[in-house]
Amino acid sequence: MAESELKVLLLEDIDTDAELATRELRRSGLDCQTCRVQTEAQFRQALVSFEPDVVLADFSMPGFDGLSALRIARVLKPGTPFIFVSGTIGEDRAVESLREGATDYVLKTRLSRLPAAVTRAITERTERTARKQAEEALRLTQQAIESSINPIIITGDQKDGAPIVYVNPAFERITGYAHDEVLGRNCRFLQGDDRTQQDLRKVRLALDQGHEARALLRNYRKDGSLFWNELYVTPVRRPDSSAVTHFVGVLHDVTDMKHYQEQLERQANYDALTGLANRNLLRDRLDQAIAAADRYDRPAMVLFVDLDNFKLINDTLGHVIGDALLVEVARRLSDCVRLGDTVARVAGDEFVVVLSDQGDEERGHEAIAGLQRSLSEPCEIQGNEITVTASIGTAMYPHDATDPESLVRLADVAMHRAKEMGRNSYQFYREEMTARIRNRVALEGGLRRA
């Protein structure tokens, strides 16, 4: 049987009537395969095994009436079109049969109507099935949207102001705004006064030009609290044209991920104990200071600060006191520098200070003297009054070195010279310091070989 062949189940006890009905269908051009039955048992079996596309049934037959057949068909094959073809059906019975679920009825004296009735019944069933499938798909889609953990917004076209026409329960839960509070409003209220975000331009272009876009936005809940929103927006077009009618926005709350990224970034760039910049961030700040020095022709200064006798404090008072002292030293150093300067912790009790726009050594002397005065002030930590001093070495850019690593290294050399000079002092780097260290290293090596 061809795939498009119509399967017709005939419930008819008169041979000539069955032949006439079949001939009328085929004469009209309908490609059909027929199966004729006469008893209830045959009818039940054919409904299951033959799986007809349409049932044509006589209304009155010996021992088995058409209404009984209709009721059986509605149970076993509820969607199958059922047409009465009878010469005895009256108007009252015809109305009763339609009320019972018959699709149509055709008098045997007017069999020319049968092909049209069958075609109409098949078409209506196809349309009904398609409509039911569409309604089911819409129901599933609606349920999926309602059940989504991600907020979903549907807005009107941009030329109408892109008013919100729908939000799902997840939107209400995450933003704190009820459905009725947002309908008709533009989504920009979610940004509050924070309108200078770079990715907002992506969203505006997508709405103006009718294309998809992804953006990371700072949004604000009804209570004013911030949440980071990864937004995906896509246009909805008319089926018969490219005209945009709506936009669908799917929001993803990435606040926790954003905070986690910030924590990772902070761990990578900041000292865990003091909150100062670490070696990694120090390198970046040195690069910035060198670039600024080149741009404005103003020297930069690098200070290497090492606390005097810090090990003694750790050994006598304990590491908890020692750590608290380092935090206090970090605070004092930070208080002594300007906003554009940098204080970093590079080792246990070693700090590096980057001072931009220092001009000359004279201004450097003033800055270092201020640091030493601040550090030498006594501090009380857990009932212990502690006075700390520091040895400081200084290197200048571009006079002493032109790269970050060399500046820090030479400042370290100068710091060790300050230690040798009796501690609680500072030294500017001089070339003879490096020569002196090299000579000492060579002497120590020679003594070991000797």
Side-chain angles (χ1 to χ4, degrees), residues 10 80 140 200 219 342 396:
L10 288 170
T80 304
L140 292 175
L200 278 176
N219 286 165
T342 298
M396 299 286 292

Side-chain angles (χ1 to χ4, degrees), residues 128-152:
R128 188 166 55 250
T129 301
R131 186 167 55 251
K132 185 177 180 181
Q133 290 174 344
E135 290 172 352
E136 179 65 10
L138 182 61
R139 185 187 68 81
L140 292 175
T141 300
Q142 180 71 16
Q143 184 174 348
I145 292 174
E146 295 283 332
S147 304
S148 173
I149 63 173
N150 289 330
I152 296 175

Side-chain angles (χ1 to χ4, degrees), residues 342-367:
T342 298
V343 180
R345 183 186 178 210
V346 294
D349 63 335
E350 295 177 346
F351 300 83
V352 171
V353 181
V354 181
L355 303 176
S356 302
D357 191 22
Q358 287 306 300
D360 51 30
E361 282 194 9
E362 187 61 34
R363 294 185 63 180
H365 285 293
E366 296 174 4

Side-chain angles (χ1 to χ4, degrees), residues 164-169 171-172 176-184:
I164 295 175
V165 298
Y166 170 83
V167 294
N168 70 341
F171 176 91
E172 298 177 299
Y177 288 99
H179 181 270
D180 294 340
E181 293 178 287
V182 301
L183 289 184

Side-chain angles (χ1 to χ4, degrees), residues 421-432:
M421 297 296 290
R423 305 177 189 275
N424 191 25
S425 63
Y426 64 91
Q427 290 287 319
F428 280 81
Y429 173 76
R430 298 291 182 264
E431 288 187 11
E432 56 266 24

Side-chain angles (χ1 to χ4, degrees), residues 13 53 84 114 127 141 148 175 191 206-207 226 230 286 290 292 302 307 356 394 404 410 416 428 430:
D13 61 325
D53 296 310
F84 280 112
L114 183 59
E127 292 175 349
T141 300
S148 173
T175 67
Q191 285 88 53
L207 297 179
L226 167 72
E230 188 176 59
L286 279 168
I290 289 173
V302 176
L307 302 184
S356 302
T394 304
L410 296 184
H416 280 90
F428 280 81
R430 298 291 182 264

Side-chain angles (χ1 to χ4, degrees), residues 44-263:
R44 287 179 178 274
Q45 182 179 359
L47 284 174
V48 177
S49 59
F50 184 61
E51 295 186 343
D53 296 310
V54 62
V55 176
L56 305 180
D58 194 358
F59 194 81
S60 299
M61 294 179 297
F64 188 40
D65 66 280
L67 286 178
S68 297
L70 174 60
R71 296 184 186 108
I72 293 172
R74 287 293 164 259
V75 173
L76 296 180
K77 294 292 180 181
T80 304
F82 193 105
I83 300 174
F84 280 112
V85 182
S86 177
T88 59
I89 190 171
E91 185 175 343
D92 292 340
R93 285 185 173 182
V95 172
E96 182 184 1
S97 68
L98 294 176
R99 189 181 299 117
E100 289 278 350
T103 307
D104 203 349
Y105 67 92
V106 176
L107 296 176
K108 289 183 178 180
T109 56
R110 302 184 63 183
L111 279 180
S112 60
R113 289 188 58 248
L114 183 59
V118 170
T119 300
R120 183 171 57 252
I122 295 298
T123 301
E124 289 176 355
R125 186 191 68 169
T126 302
E127 292 175 349
R128 188 166 55 250
T129 301
R131 186 167 55 251
K132 185 177 180 181
Q133 290 174 344
E135 290 172 352
E136 179 65 10
L138 182 61
R139 185 187 68 81
L140 292 175
T141 300
Q142 180 71 16
Q143 184 174 348
I145 292 174
E146 295 283 332
S147 304
S148 173
I149 63 173
N150 289 330
I152 296 175
I153 302 176
I154 300 178
T155 71
D157 189 16
Q158 177 73 348
K159 66 177 179 292
D160 298 324
I164 295 175
V165 298
Y166 170 83
V167 294
N168 70 341
F171 176 91
E172 298 177 299
R173 183 174 64 253
I174 289 178
T175 67
Y177 288 99
H179 181 270
D180 294 340
E181 293 178 287
V182 301
L183 289 184
R185 300 178 66 181
N186 187 284
C187 294
R188 67 172 64 96
F189 76 89
L190 289 172
Q191 285 88 53
D193 295 328
D194 192 0
R195 300 288 178 81
T196 58
Q197 304 179 46
Q198 183 176 0
D199 275 11
L200 278 176
R201 185 172 182 274
K202 295 181 182 178
V203 179
R204 295 190 189 104
L205 284 175
L207 297 179
D208 290 339
Q209 299 175 7
H211 59 71
E212 299 178 354
R214 289 183 182 274
L216 181 63
L217 303 175
R218 293 183 298 274
N219 286 165
Y220 296 87
R221 300 182 178 89
K222 186 178 180 180
D223 61 8
S225 59
L226 167 72
F227 72 96
W228 285 91
N229 163 33
E230 188 176 59
L231 172 67
Y232 172 71
V233 61
T234 185
V236 178
R237 304 183 186 278
R238 293 186 186 278
D240 56 344
S241 71
S242 61
V244 175
T245 61
H246 297 81
F247 284 90
V248 176
V250 180
L251 287 67
H252 185 200
D253 185 352
V254 294
T255 307
D256 291 342
M257 183 178 69
K258 191 70 176 176
H259 287 166
Y260 179 64
Q261 290 175 344
E262 291 172 352
Q263 290 173 3

